[in-house]
Amino acid sequence: MSIKKYQICTNCIMDTSDPRITFDDNGVCDHCRNYYKNILPSWLPNERGFQILKKTINKIKAEGARRDHDCLVGISGGVDSSYLAYLAKEEFGLRPLIFHVDTGWNSQLAVNNIEMLTEKLGLDLHTEVVDWEEMRDLQLAFFKAQVPHLDTPQDHAIFAALYNFAAQHGFKYILTGANYSTECIYNPLEWHYHAGDLIHLRDIHKRFGQRPLSTFPMADILTYKVYYRYMKGIRVVKPLDYVRYIKENAMRLLIDRFGWQKYPQKHYESRFTKFYEGYWLPKKFGYDKRRVQFSNLILTNQMAREDALDRVSHPAYDGRTISEDFEYIAIKLGLSASELRDIMNGPNKSYRDYRSRWAVFALGTIILRIIGIERKAIR
Ligand SMILES: [Zn+2]
């Protein structure tokens, strides 16, 4: 392996911990260049965008008029999806069914937030509970595979359950909290391989899993991007890209109106994600997801670069509670703390060490970019 010289973008805080990052003559990284060139020109968080969104909202209402609910809204308990649930009901006048997947890692705070919000908004909540023994088995398989993308089992279950539910129950519209405002940069592929790649998930489970996955929600990315989209007519709408979405303001509204409680960091609504992103990933692999999250906020003028640099100079985890968290995760996985420590000290692997659809995705993305559907940089 060649040792690259350390370099950090002069515009955001992405650096050479992303092995594929490139810089131009001014030291600006390819994430930033992609944002200015491909995302910003087509991003319409303004009146024009809202007019486009309004047309979609009217279609959703008309097509769902005879149904109990006219759309599905996926909710994690985080800011983006919670704010979306509020918008859907109060601002757009939709009649959504709120859909939550309980993967067994939810923090109590997240559960409280979801219940309080849906109750106060008078919305119906459907919670899909993933069989914990299967979830645990798959999660442990990913740990044993030594790959960095340990969030795949959780992410896969959440997306697959949502899409499968929509397909089974005839929903034509899924609203998600995905947005450019806080997610205009993709996680580097080395850090976060596609959770929708079922070939990859199955290969890792076949090698390291111990029990069959008979009820675990599964849907290959090609199933929902092609079959569900074009055969079943299910559309995914991302309303937060068509309104002025400022995370701090959204959080304030949720706190003031619904008694929502805030998390110390994005994605910390899950106890697993907190441990994984805050400790395991930076410690074992040197990947700090705050670089992506803060760079997003820098690009969208929601955070100063100096503040972001200051934040990442301190570890994300709390040194006083980490041994307690480590033990909690080990016990949940059915391991002793020393067994989990052994896995942590084992040799690091990547998605390339297992079967995957990477070649298909790479080709598909090139095509989508050429015809202008995909704007995020994926490499
Ligand atoms: Zn940059």
Side-chain angles (χ1 to χ4, degrees):
M1 223 167 89
S2 65
I3 310 245
K4 253 204 209 160
K5 202 173 116 249
Y6 180 82
Q7 192 171 351
I8 182 166
C9 175
T10 51
N11 189 56
C12 72
I13 61 164
M14 292 304 287
D15 65 6
T16 36
S17 62
D18 169 6
R20 296 173 194 232
I21 199 166
T22 59
F23 300 94
D24 68 9
D25 293 343
N26 298 317
V28 176
C29 78
D30 56 322
H31 295 286
C32 285
R33 293 198 307 271
N34 183 66
Y35 172 74
Y36 295 120
K37 184 167 167 254
N38 295 316
I39 295 179
L40 201 54
S42 64
W43 182 19
L44 303 167
N46 48 30
E47 188 51 34
R48 218 178 113 208
F50 189 66
Q51 291 310 322
I52 297 171
L53 179 63
K54 234 162 122 184
K55 276 191 196 153
T56 308
I57 292 168
N58 290 338
K59 263 176 85 179
I60 297 173
K61 285 180 183 169
E63 289 179 30
R66 283 194 294 275
R67 297 176 53 93
D68 290 343
H69 306 97
D70 48 25
C71 59
L72 261 186
V73 171
I75 196 168
S76 66
V79 184
D80 302 348
S81 59
S82 299
Y83 185 68
L84 173 65
Y86 153 79
L87 281 182
K89 166 82 195 299
E90 302 279 285
E91 302 287 328
F92 306 157
L94 291 168
R95 296 177 297 111
L97 174 62
I98 305 296
F99 189 90
H100 176 63
V101 182
D102 179 356
T103 59
W105 290 114
N106 274 347
S107 66
Q108 192 53 46
L109 198 56
V111 177
N112 293 348
N113 277 340
I114 293 168
E115 285 177 355
M116 201 151 54
L117 185 71
T118 46
E119 201 185 297
K120 288 192 177 167
L121 282 169
L123 295 172
D124 293 330
L125 170 67
H126 175 89
T127 300
E128 192 122 326
V129 181
V130 180
D131 178 88
W132 174 249
E133 288 308 315
E134 292 187 22
M135 180 71 207
R136 189 181 68 81
D137 193 54
L138 184 62
Q139 188 75 75
L140 188 54
F142 271 74
F143 270 93
K144 288 178 176 169
Q146 298 285 1
V147 290
H149 44 290
L150 295 181
D151 45 355
T152 289
Q154 194 175 217
D155 283 359
H156 190 92
I158 291 168
F159 284 104
L162 178 67
Y163 287 115
N164 290 345
F165 185 91
Q168 280 157 13
H169 295 85
F171 280 92
K172 295 288 178 217
Y173 292 93
I174 298 174
L175 273 52
T176 82
N179 67 92
Y180 288 144
S181 180
T182 65
E183 298 168 336
C184 63
I185 298 181
Y186 261 152
N187 278 296
L189 191 68
E190 298 291 330
W191 303 14
H192 182 92
Y193 182 68
H194 295 273
D197 186 341
L198 202 50
I199 288 185
H200 187 66
L201 183 145
R202 283 214 166 101
D203 189 43
I204 287 184
H205 185 253
K206 202 173 108 197
R207 298 196 203 195
F208 302 102
Q210 281 171 347
R211 61 165 61 225
L213 300 177
S214 44
T215 62
F216 188 85
M218 286 191 204
D220 187 70
I221 188 165
L222 296 181
T223 307
Y224 60 79
K225 286 227 164 172
V226 181
Y227 177 65
Y228 286 173
R229 168 71 184 82
Y230 296 101
M231 302 295 160
K232 293 243 174 193
I234 299 173
R235 277 146 205 270
V236 177
V237 183
K238 300 173 182 171
L240 297 185
D241 282 343
Y242 299 93
V243 297
R244 220 175 119 66
Y245 178 55
I246 305 291
K247 198 180 152 184
E248 270 310 310
N249 301 353
M251 198 146 38
R252 179 85 352 249
L253 179 138
L254 292 171
I255 292 167
D256 293 346
R257 286 202 47 183
F258 305 102
W260 198 85
Q261 284 183 279
K262 77 195 262 191
Y263 309 95
Q265 183 93 26
K266 183 174 168 73
H267 290 161
Y268 280 14
E269 57 269 25
S270 153
R271 203 157 170 192
F272 172 77
T273 309
K274 172 172 176 275
F275 171 79
Y276 158 68
E277 289 188 358
Y279 182 72
W280 188 275
L281 203 54
K283 263 284 206 252
K284 183 168 164 62
F285 292 90
Y287 303 156
D288 188 341
K289 286 208 178 175
R290 292 177 304 172
R291 286 196 183 277
V292 173
Q293 292 157 12
F294 295 164
S295 291
N296 264 296
L297 296 177
I298 293 169
L299 285 178
T300 54
N301 303 317
Q302 300 180 71
M303 191 177 204
R305 187 170 177 274
E306 296 70 45
D307 294 340
L309 285 170
D310 180 54
R311 289 276 294 275
V312 291
S313 70
H314 306 285
Y317 62 90
D318 183 341
R320 290 162 305 179
T321 57
I322 191 61
S323 63
E324 200 181 290
D325 288 345
F326 199 91
E327 191 147 344
Y328 170 83
I329 299 293
I331 291 170
K332 280 274 282 189
L333 291 169
L335 301 173
S336 67
S338 78
E339 284 170 319
L340 186 57
R341 184 69 60 192
D342 286 345
I343 294 177
M344 190 160 191
N345 294 333
N348 292 348
K349 299 257 169 88
S350 91
Y351 70 91
R352 288 185 304 273
D353 292 300
Y354 303 97
R355 289 185 64 202
S356 79
R357 277 195 201 281
W358 168 237
V360 178
F361 291 155
L363 183 66
T365 308
I366 290 168
I367 295 170
L368 289 178
R369 279 178 74 86
I370 290 169
I371 59 177
I373 293 177
E374 179 65 64
R375 295 190 193 278
K376 282 201 206 176
I378 177 165
R379 48 204 170 103

